């Protein structure tokens, strides 16, 4: 999608902090500067405007909130969604403070990481809304066909659903905790903001309930499933929404709702459409052409989150090595030493110093060009979601075991270490195994916080809130990765009842809409 693109400006007005401003998006060559009035005036510009919304997903502007202006650091989905969700969990360790506020639960209503996630997610939502109006108008004017308009709308609604779910896992209580509580969700802004009158109307939208937000997400995804193409050619099969991406996202959303049978129904639609790669590193060796990646955000040498935001900068030992794997998960007895994911997808820091054995992810490999795609949904996630749903709905079954083993056995190749039905005395033991498998399989892919969030009130499988974490200083003792006794994590656990489990709504949003937007409890 971006091999033949250049940066241009489209004056699509986007909501941020409750106000609107022009922003830059990426569009197809050879378009030059255009504005919203002409953005949908011919088929090429319509296509460019739709592609521009994908760029808003990849590289919305990050404002450090210190007067240095807007920067591109992969907000919301170009890199930041993975980094934020990892640093809210315990399976990585922040090394240099880039996500120290998130990692240390030191965020507030004015801290940049969480504020910019809110801003760029709502900017993405608004650009999707603008594009939806634009393609409908283009169809009504005969500029594009009705079929093309509907397909474009389906793409935009997929991206809107992805954004609303991301907002939900950070700013809202999980679905299991009173989803119909008034104003427990986020504002559902579903109309385009292109002028001051639109912005005034949008500023009056109150927070919905969590249930209403999920209802809207599922409505968008049902529409997307019905109207997206079954596949696309080349890397667009992975980087631009197709039917399978909408279904896979529904699997994720239904898992967060605890709708186990719906997870199984949706997941079954993807059987035979996607397959796991032969080895665990397959999706990362070939970002653009593998059988497992369902939807990823494209980065390339010309357009990526930069040295201060890109995934290889953060996770790769040869980049800036800003995010290490935690010794806690590295030493977990249930992550077997023979597991191929240890050798294929991690590396020691190396050298001769005390940190030599500290471990880093090797999923993101292009340190020079920073062109690794950002994995949003892989088929492995769908399969493990089905394994958990099968167990919760029906207990330990051969079907559920088959799902679990599809993912596990490509990495655990020693037959003596592989699971059978007799490996589990109870259903909860099986679910525990699935959840551990998710932690290993999606390490450094941003799936840990969503699982902590959705399981927060699970009577057996909750970690009880924000888990305890090792400090950077602790993790830099490379002996902890080999044989030294693990110390007590320096960052203590924070219970689910603590107000810090939720991110606060940005203060500027509250200031601009004080009678409309209710702050999360105890954030002032």
């Amino acid at each position: 999608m971006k091999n033949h693109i250049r940066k241009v400006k489209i004056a699509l007005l986007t909501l941020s902090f409750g106000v609107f401003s022009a922003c830059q998006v990426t569009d197809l060559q050879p378009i030059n500067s255009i504005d919203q009035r002409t953005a949908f005036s011919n088929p090429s510009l319509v296509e460019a405007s739709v592609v521009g919304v994908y760029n808003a997903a990849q590289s919305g502007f990050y404002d450090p909130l210190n007067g240095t202006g807007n920067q591109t650091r992969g907000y919301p989905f170009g890199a930041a969604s993975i980094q934020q969700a990892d640093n809210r969990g315990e399976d990585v360790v922040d090394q240099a403070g880039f996500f120290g506020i998130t990692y240390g639960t030191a965020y507030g209503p004015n801290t940049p990481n969480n504020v910019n996630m809110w801003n760029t997610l709502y900017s993405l939502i608004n650009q999707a809304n603008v594009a939806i109006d634009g393609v409908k108008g283009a169809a009504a004017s005969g500029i594009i066909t009705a079929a093309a308009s509907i397909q474009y709308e389906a793409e935009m609604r997929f991206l809107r659903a992805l954004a609303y779910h991301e907002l939900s896992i950070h700013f809202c209580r999980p679905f299991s905790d009173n989803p119909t509580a008034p104003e427990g969700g986020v504002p559902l802004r579903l109309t385009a903001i292109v002028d001051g009158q639109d912005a005034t109307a949008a500023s009056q939208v109150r927070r919905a309930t969590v249930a209403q937000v999920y209802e809207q997400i599922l409505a968008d995804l049902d529409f997307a499933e019905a109207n997206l193409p079954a596949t696309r050619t080349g890397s667009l099969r992975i980087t631009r929404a197709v039917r399978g991406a909408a279904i896979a996202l529904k699997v994720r959303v239904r898992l967060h709702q605890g709708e186990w049978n719906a997870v199984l129904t949706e997941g079954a639609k993807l059987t035979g459409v996607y397959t796991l790669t032969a080895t665990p590193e397959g999706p990362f060796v070939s970002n653009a052409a593998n059988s497992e990646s369902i939807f990823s955000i494209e980065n390339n040498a010309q357009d990526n989150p930069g040295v201060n935001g890109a995934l290889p900068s953060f996770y790769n030992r040869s980049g800036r090595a800003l995010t290490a794997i935690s010794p806690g998960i590295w030493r977990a007895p249930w992550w077997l030493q023979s597991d191929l994911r240890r050798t294929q997808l991690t590396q020691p820091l190396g050298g001769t110093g005390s940190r030599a054995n500290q471990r880093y992810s090797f999923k993101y490999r292009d340190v020079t060009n920073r062109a690794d795609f950002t994995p949003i949904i892989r088929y492995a996630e769908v399969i493990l979601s089905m394994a958990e749903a099968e167990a919760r709905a029906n207990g330990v079954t051969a079907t559920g075991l088959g799902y679990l083993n599809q993912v596990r056995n490509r990495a655990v190749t020693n037959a003596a270490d592989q699971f059978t039905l007799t490996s589990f005395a109870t259903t909860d033991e099986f679910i525990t195994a699935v959840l551990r498998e998710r932690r290993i399989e999606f390490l450094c892919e941003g799936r840990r916080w969503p699982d902590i969030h959705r399981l927060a009130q699970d009577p057996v499988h909750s970690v009880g809130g924000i888990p305890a974490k090792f400090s950077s200083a602790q993790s830099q003792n490379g002996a902890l990765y080999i044989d030294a006794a693990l110390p007590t994590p320096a960052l203590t656990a924070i219970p689910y009842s603590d107000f810090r489990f939720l991110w606060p709504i940005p203060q500027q949003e509250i200031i601009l809409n004080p009678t409309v937007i209710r702050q999360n409890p105890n954030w002032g």
Side-chain angles (χ1 to χ4, degrees), residues 295 396-397 400 432 438:
F295 183 71
V396 181
T397 66
T432 295
R438 290 175 69 94

Side-chain angles (χ1 to χ4, degrees), residues 454-470:
R454 73 180 175 88
L455 296 167
Q457 291 197 304
D458 189 289
V460 176
H461 303 288
S462 173
V463 299
I466 300 171
K469 307 176 188 182
F470 292 101

Side-chain angles (χ1 to χ4, degrees), residues 64-139:
L65 309 181
N66 61 7
T68 60
N70 290 324
Q71 304 172 12
T72 299
R73 292 192 181 176
Y75 281 72
F77 293 113
S81 63
I82 287 179
Q83 294 154 345
Q84 292 272 31
D86 278 345
N87 278 276
R88 295 199 76 181
E90 78 279 42
D91 289 341
V92 304
V93 184
D94 174 73
Q95 295 297 298
F98 270 67
F99 282 94
I101 289 172
T102 299
Y103 189 76
T105 318
Y107 37 76
N110 297 303
T111 47
N113 295 147
N114 48 298
V115 167
N116 279 285
M117 283 298 289
W118 175 279
N119 292 341
T120 56
L121 286 164
Y122 271 110
S123 289
L124 170 59
I125 288 166
N126 190 59
Q127 290 198 41
N129 291 339
V130 170
I132 288 170
D133 281 0
V135 299
K136 287 180 176 179

Side-chain angles (χ1 to χ4, degrees), residues 16-19 109-110 115 118-119 171 183 187 189 203 207 503-521 523-524:
S16 179
F17 290 139
V19 297
N110 297 303
V115 167
W118 175 279
N119 292 341
F171 295 94
E183 299 187 80
R189 292 166 175 158
S203 71
R207 296 178 65 171
W503 277 350
I505 307 299
Q507 188 62 28
Q508 192 167 351
E509 183 86 40
I510 302 297
I511 290 172
L512 291 168
N513 305 299
T515 63
V516 177
I517 302 298
R518 187 180 69 177
Q519 180 59 278
N520 280 329
W523 279 110

Side-chain angles (χ1 to χ4, degrees), residues 287-298:
N287 292 171
N290 71 82
S291 62
E292 183 173 335
S293 296
I294 297 177
F295 183 71
S296 297
I297 295 292
E298 183 179 351

